[in-house]
Structure formats: structure tokens, C-alpha cells
Amino acid sequence: MTATMDRTAQGTGVAGRLSDILSPLVGGELPVRLTAWDGSTAGPEDAPKVTLYSPNVLRRLLWNPGELGAAQAYVLGELDVEGDLGDALTHVWKVSAERGLGSITPTPSLVLAAVKAARSFGIFGRPLAPPSSQAQVKGRLHSLARDREAIGHHYDLSNDFYQLILDENMAYSSGYWTSDAPEYTLEDSQTDKLDLVCRKVGLDRARGLRFLDVGCGWGSLSLHAAREYGARVVGITISAEQKAFVDAKIRELGLEDWVEIRLQDYREIPDGPFDAVASIEMGEHVGEDNYPTYVKALHDNVIAGGRVLIQQMSRTGAHPGGGPFIESFIAPDMYMRPVGRTVAMIEEGGLEVRDVHALREHYVRTVDAWIETFESNWDRVVDLVGVEVARVWRLYLVGGGMAFRDGRMGVDQILSVRPHGDGRSDMESVRPQWVSRR
């Protein structure tokens, strides 16, 4: 008996048949220990354990092969992973990379074998209904109405839900980690990020500058800029839940004369220019074709010599939207590109780029902290949004953290200046006023 046979423990039943079909596709033995709904098993005993509770898993994969079908089955509990989901996904990614599975194409004989197995499993039929948590946005891509619907799907889930994941600042973006001390927290990293942004755009309490926060989220930057830097802030969002949350915080902190939050699209700002502008992880949502419009809005809404800071995620390779799962369940219509292309588009829009500050490793630590908080609040999350949405978010957070860890995604702060009409930039605008400690 070979070493491989010792480890694989010959499969029988449904699991064994699936193993026989999948082995040529996965370049050898299964990368997981598979248990099927009939109790049969196949695959290495020391591999991550995956259970298929229903033939619906295969039916979903028949209609949506790969990531989307598997994600649908996972969020509905038709497929489950024993133990740590991140460890299991990391193992599968490693095996896939080692075997070069992306280049494997099914042969006609394999397709025929799969069809015969599907018939015997009784999984032929119309597509199953998608999970209720899967987005169903309609309308013209990046129209005002569709953008509101797409953003609402993600951000209007509930403020109470996001409070079970985020820090006290309610900052839903990468932190800036300036210490490895055990007592240094996620909240500290977010406060340091907010300070970094305010310093980079040149806010100054003595001058009381007008500051525009494009895509203000739950108001972490808007409130910080007003309280700590004396800025008079306009924050815009198209999420009604977010506006309601920030408005309540404004009243609680007595900042009614300092911060105004508007339910407004970035294409509809009527009262610029402002002294400084920032947009934190919102540019991913505007789309590829609309990105020049987005840059123009930032350019037109800052004074000559004023600074604009964009913090934005980047992505290389296929799936600029993040992949079938992210695009279907989390952020419909999102678009990411390599950071160099974003820098070029910002410059093409008339802004002069002064600094690009990579924060990829900071996002790994940020997501790890979110996962820890999320898992510690698991029962409360399930009570609030149900087990299906909770499983969507577990998969999202774990997969997102892996993407940043493995370098498939990054995040950068891109600082630029709007030149004067004659091409001049004030020296104050080009002199760094921050210290990059990390």
C-alpha cells in the first residue's frame, strides 16, 4: 500500500465517487477530508474536514461552479468546515498554488463522468433560489439609484450590527498601527489613522478650515476632524443608517455647529470648494468608468493649493470586484485596480500626487482584530441578523484578511494637491506635515 493510500483512507459512497471525479481536476488527492450526506468519507484524514449536508451543494455548484456556488452552500449551512475557517482556506489555497490548479481544464471524459454522477445523485433541475443574503441590485450600472441600492445592501444592515465588529470610533477602514505593545488596541490604531489623515491634509485648529469628508461612513473622521483639529466639516454618505448614527453622535457631542452630515452623492455637492478633502475607502465603490468623475468631484471641491487624501484598496489579477462571493454578497459593483493605475487616474484628473503610503500590513492586523471581536460576539450577531448573514460575514472577514495577508489586495493613502491655474503649488502644500512612523 502506498503512502498516499495510507493517508487517503479509500473513499466509498457519495464521497468516494466525488473524489474519483475531482482527483484529475485537483491534480491528485483531495485537499480536504470530505464527508457526504450519506455518511461516506474520502480524502486525507489529516486534512481540513468539510461536510456536505445536502445534495443541494452539488446542484448549486452545477449552476454556479467554483467560488459562488460553494459560498451559497456555506452561508446556508449546506456545507460546513470543521474548526478554524481561515486555517482550512489557507490550506486549500496553498495546495491550489502548489499544484497550479488555475490552469487545469476539464476533459470531455471528466465532464461526462460528472454528468452521470449528477444524474445518479438526483441534482439535475432548475437552479435553486439564491440565499436571501445575496444582493439583487438592478438598474444601470453606477446610476444614482443603483449606487444607493448597492451601498444600502452593505451599509444599511444595521448600526447595531457594525458595533459588534468595529471599534468605538466605528471606523470601517484600515487602521494605522504604530505600536506592538499588548495594550495597544484596534481603537488606538484607528485614532492614529484619523490623526494621520488630518495631519496629511493640513487641518489646523487655529485656522478653522472647511473640510469635506466624501463617503463619511459612521462619521469617525468627520467627528475627529472637528473635535481635535477645529475643522468645520461636511460629511456625505448615501447610507441612511450611517447618517442617522452620525447625527445622533453630533448631538451627543454638541458638535451641531461644527459637523453637517448629508445624505448626498459625491456627484451632487453644491457648495465647494473646501480647504481640504478626504475620501476613505469609498473610491472602490464608484466603478471604473465613473472614476474620472469621482476624481473631478474631489478636484473641483478643493481650493487651489488644497490637499486631497484618498485611502483606497487595490487589487491585482483577475476579479477587480473582489471575486464572485464579494461581488454577490458584500459589495455589488465594487471595482479595484493596481495602485499605480489609480495614481495615474488621479493625475489625469488634474491633481498632483505628492505621496503614496502603503498600509497593506496594517489592514491584516485590522481585519484580525475585527474577526476577534466578531467571533466574541457571535451569539449576539446571530440574534441580531440571523445565522445566514452571520456566516456571510465570517466568510467575508476571513477571506478578506487572507487577501491582504497574501498580497492579492492592498490599501494605500494617496495624497495629492490641486495646483494653481498657473501650475504653482504652495510650498506649504508640498512640505510633509506628518511623520510616517510605520
Side-chain angles (χ1 to χ4, degrees):
M1 182 176 289
T2 66
T4 297
M5 291 177 68
D6 281 333
R7 294 180 64 240
T8 303
Q10 294 292 298
T12 58
V14 171
R17 294 184 65 190
L18 288 174
S19 178
D20 291 341
I21 293 169
L22 292 174
S23 278
L25 292 174
V26 300
E29 63 185 2
L30 295 177
V32 299
R33 178 67 172 176
L34 187 66
T35 300
W37 58 88
D38 65 346
S40 60
T41 58
E45 292 184 353
D46 59 351
K49 295 175 174 57
V50 175
T51 301
L52 311 183
Y53 288 106
S54 166
N56 283 348
V57 177
L58 303 186
R59 189 163 169 185
R60 293 188 188 282
L61 287 167
L62 186 67
W63 285 98
N64 295 293
E67 180 181 312
L68 180 56
Q72 289 177 331
Y74 175 80
V75 304
L76 289 171
E78 299 165 347
L79 174 157
D80 209 355
V81 177
E82 183 178 315
D84 187 276
L85 179 62
D87 289 346
L89 291 176
T90 295
H91 173 80
V92 172
W93 268 98
K94 180 181 178 183
V95 171
S96 176
E98 289 173 347
R99 299 180 185 178
L101 298 184
S103 62
I104 293 177
T105 302
T107 63
S109 61
L110 285 174
V111 173
L112 180 61
V115 169
K116 289 181 178 178
R119 289 189 183 280
S120 68
F121 295 150
I123 64 171
F124 273 139
R126 296 174 63 84
L128 295 167
S132 59
S133 55
Q134 188 168 328
Q136 303 291 331
V137 295
K138 300 178 179 65
R140 180 172 55 82
L141 184 63
H142 293 298
S143 63
L144 295 177
R146 178 168 171 141
D147 276 358
R148 289 190 184 99
E149 186 178 355
I151 292 298
H153 170 80
H154 188 59
Y155 294 96
D156 286 348
L157 189 56
S158 113
N159 294 330
D160 292 339
F161 170 78
Y162 282 95
Q163 287 178 303
L164 297 176
I165 301 174
L166 307 179
D167 70 300
E168 289 297 319
N169 292 300
M170 287 290 280
Y172 186 33
S173 55
S174 178
Y176 180 60
W177 298 76
T178 63
S179 173
D180 294 321
E183 63 272 17
Y184 186 86
T185 66
L186 170 64
E187 184 175 358
D188 293 327
S189 80
Q190 293 292 5
T191 299
D192 283 344
K193 186 271 298 295
L194 299 174
D195 265 334
L196 184 66
V197 172
C198 290
R199 294 198 306 272
K200 283 185 175 182
V201 298
L203 297 186
D204 182 348
R205 176 172 288 279
R207 297 169 64 193
L209 301 178
R210 274 186 91 219
F211 177 52
L212 175 64
D213 183 3
V214 179
C216 65
W218 287 274
S220 59
L221 179 58
S222 292
L223 298 174
H224 189 82
R227 296 178 73 187
E228 303 298 328
Y229 290 85
R232 296 192 177 276
V233 184
V234 169
I236 65 168
T237 177
I238 55 175
S239 164
E241 284 280 321
Q242 289 180 337
K243 174 174 164 52
F245 180 90
V246 189
D247 284 345
K249 291 293 290 185
I250 291 170
R251 291 191 294 271
E252 176 188 328
L253 298 170
L255 294 174
E256 292 92 337
D257 293 335
W258 295 88
V259 182
E260 176 191 0
I261 302 300
R262 301 173 183 167
L263 201 59
Q264 188 172 71
D265 190 274
Y266 69 92
R267 291 160 284 195
E268 300 176 317
I269 302 167
D271 53 343
F274 294 76
D275 297 305
V277 177
S279 186
I280 308 300
E281 294 184 26
M282 183 254 179
E284 303 89 343
H285 296 287
V286 305
E288 180 71 347
D289 292 342
N290 269 7
Y291 203 80
T293 303
Y294 169 70
V295 174
K296 184 177 187 303
L298 302 182
H299 173 280
D300 292 353
N301 278 290
V302 71
I303 62 171
R307 303 177 190 177
V308 175
L309 185 137
I310 298 171
Q311 180 169 310
Q312 188 168 311
M313 291 181 282
S314 62
R315 188 174 176 91
T316 57
H319 303 301
F325 166 66
I326 295 291
E327 294 164 38
S328 298
F329 283 87
I330 301 298
D333 303 338
M334 186 162 68
Y335 193 98
M336 295 169 287
R337 66 187 71 79
V339 62
R341 177 58 187 145
T342 295
V343 168
M345 295 178 83
I346 292 170
E347 291 180 328
E348 290 162 6
L351 293 169
E352 291 188 22
V353 172
R354 294 300 181 187
D355 182 70
V356 179
H357 186 175
L359 299 177
R360 180 182 64 81
E361 295 89 348
H362 295 258
Y363 226 150
V364 177
R365 294 184 65 179
T366 301
V367 176
D368 283 347
W370 286 343
I371 291 172
E372 183 178 351
T373 305
F374 174 79
E375 292 294 346
S376 70
N377 285 315
W378 176 260
D379 291 341
R380 296 174 64 193
V381 170
V382 171
D383 288 343
L384 187 63
V385 298
V387 69
E388 179 183 320
V389 173
R391 287 172 72 87
V392 167
W393 272 77
R394 175 181 279 163
L395 185 57
Y396 166 50
L397 291 172
V398 169
M402 289 174 57
F404 288 108
R405 180 198 67 193
D406 299 340
R408 296 189 300 276
M409 289 178 60
V411 64
D412 305 272
Q413 287 188 352
I414 306 169
L415 179 66
S416 59
V417 175
R418 177 177 176 175
H420 291 272
D422 59 5
R424 291 183 300 108
S425 292
D426 293 332
M427 287 306 298
E428 185 64 20
S429 296
V430 301
R431 184 181 299 115
Q433 298 294 317
W434 68 94
V435 177
S436 181
R437 292 172 286 180
R438 200 77 169 158

